[in-house]
Amino acid sequence: MNGFVDLHGESITGVINTFDRVIFKGHLNGFFPDGAFGRYLSRRGILLKDAGRFFEAETQRIRDHVVSLAAAAGRPVEYLMGSSTHRSGLSKEARARAIAERDGVTEGLVCVLSVVEPCRSFVVTPNRQTRRLEVVRRRRKCLHYYLYRIDPELGWVHVRLQTWAPYEMQIYVNGREWLARQMDQAGIGYRRSDNKITAVDDFGPITALCERFAHTDWPPVLERQATLVNPLLPDIERAGFPGYWWVIDQCEYASDVLFTDRAPLEAIQGDLVTAAV
């Protein structure tokens, strides 16, 4: 990157190096050691033969909670017929952004999208050899909620919650959304096109701002999102099981190179495309 900037320095006003798309996954790791989920059911006072009804009731608690969040904010809940968005040509995020634009939402909950998607889960099933019920892990499908929000600090985010045990969670944040909010607070003028920053009045503080995102203490931020969405967490913790263990599932780091005007960039566009391919 430095060689490119040095070569075209007279035509470049500045460079923004920061994280872009970041997806965190939350796992309730305490459920996964052998026998752990059976112990969890026992501590909740649930016999294995009653586990199915218990799971259904817990799922209903999540559904009621999420629907109540949407109702309190006056926002829609939409059910999607399929998890894939390729056929429709409209992604979940595009649908949520269209709703935000339609309704003029600039902060808070935008909408909730629900869809049945594959997941890994627990089921109680009879063991023919031991003639006893046991808890096993199994791939299945269940309802997932996508809550799209415009956070005062993070900007556009979504939280995805699996409604069947083990209630895995996904949280999406965007570094450029965050950076735009930081520049707003600092009074730095800029122009933006979609997810790209195309002009900045003062590049001086930009590097330091980008570093702040990289060194954010993420677990407390993610825990606040999780607590808002999953009403089962207090009961899980009272049963002696820890909350979510957070990992980075996907992470993109990108550089925005800002040119003085279109002509110098168009002159090298062909070479840039060839090199990228």
Side-chain angles (χ1 to χ4, degrees):
M1 177 59 72
N2 288 339
F4 180 86
V5 173
D6 292 340
L7 181 62
H8 302 281
E10 294 183 356
S11 304
I12 293 173
T13 60
V15 180
I16 300 175
N17 299 303
T18 190
F19 288 93
D20 191 1
R21 166 192 173 97
V22 183
I23 293 181
F24 298 93
K25 287 287 182 69
H27 305 287
L28 294 173
N29 282 357
F31 286 162
F32 289 97
D34 288 344
F37 201 71
R39 290 192 294 274
Y40 169 70
L41 293 175
S42 177
R43 292 177 187 178
R44 294 290 304 274
I46 305 301
L47 299 175
L48 291 183
K49 68 181 181 66
D50 299 324
R53 290 191 294 273
F54 172 74
F55 288 152
E56 291 173 359
E58 295 287 84
T59 292
Q60 191 60 49
R61 284 180 62 191
I62 293 175
R63 298 178 72 166
D64 292 343
H65 177 73
V66 171
V67 170
S68 70
L69 288 177
R75 304 309 306 145
V77 179
E78 292 189 3
Y79 177 74
L80 304 179
M81 294 302 295
S83 60
S84 174
T85 58
H86 298 296
R87 293 181 180 177
S88 66
L90 185 68
S91 69
K92 298 181 187 72
E93 180 171 331
R95 174 58 186 154
R97 288 188 180 274
I99 292 172
E101 183 176 357
R102 179 195 71 191
D103 297 343
V105 180
T106 58
E107 189 170 308
L109 184 66
V110 173
C111 66
V112 178
L113 304 181
S114 64
V115 61
V116 174
E117 294 181 328
C119 65
R120 59 173 182 166
S121 185
F122 295 103
V123 297
V124 174
T125 186
N127 184 317
R128 293 182 179 180
Q129 293 180 339
T130 63
R131 296 184 179 181
R132 297 172 63 91
L133 295 175
E134 63 182 16
V135 179
V136 298
R137 302 179 198 176
R138 183 169 294 173
R139 300 292 298 182
R140 58 167 292 163
K141 291 183 178 182
C142 78
L143 189 72
H144 291 72
Y145 283 117
Y146 287 77
L147 291 88
Y148 286 89
R149 298 178 59 246
I150 301 176
D151 186 88
E153 181 179 1
L154 298 175
W156 188 267
V157 301
H158 84 240
V159 179
R160 173 185 185 264
L161 177 61
Q162 176 179 322
T163 63
W164 196 269
Y167 316 115
E168 300 213 333
M169 185 171 288
Q170 168 181 298
I171 298 178
Y172 163 93
V173 299
N174 186 294
R176 275 162 177 70
E177 285 273 347
W178 181 90
L179 179 59
R181 300 264 164 171
Q182 298 302 306
M183 290 192 290
D184 288 338
Q185 293 179 15
I188 301 172
Y190 65 95
R191 290 198 305 273
R192 184 176 174 188
S193 175
D194 192 21
N195 196 40
K196 298 173 288 294
I197 296 171
T198 59
V200 175
D201 290 349
D202 180 10
F203 275 93
I206 296 300
T207 299
L209 288 176
C210 294
E211 282 296 307
R212 282 174 53 191
F213 182 87
H215 296 283
T216 297
D217 184 13
W218 283 107
V221 175
L222 303 173
E223 286 298 331
R224 287 195 295 271
Q225 302 288 335
T227 301
L228 174 68
V229 174
N230 189 345
L232 307 185
L233 289 177
D235 287 338
I236 292 171
E237 292 174 2
R238 277 193 291 269
F241 287 77
Y244 285 106
W245 175 263
W246 298 102
V247 298
I248 295 175
D249 184 67
Q250 297 180 33
C251 184
E252 296 178 5
Y253 190 88
S255 299
D256 289 350
V257 182
L258 281 64
F259 283 73
T260 54
D261 53 62
R262 294 180 63 91
L265 178 57
E266 289 176 344
I268 61 172
Q269 180 179 357
D271 292 337
L272 288 174
V273 172
T274 300
V277 172

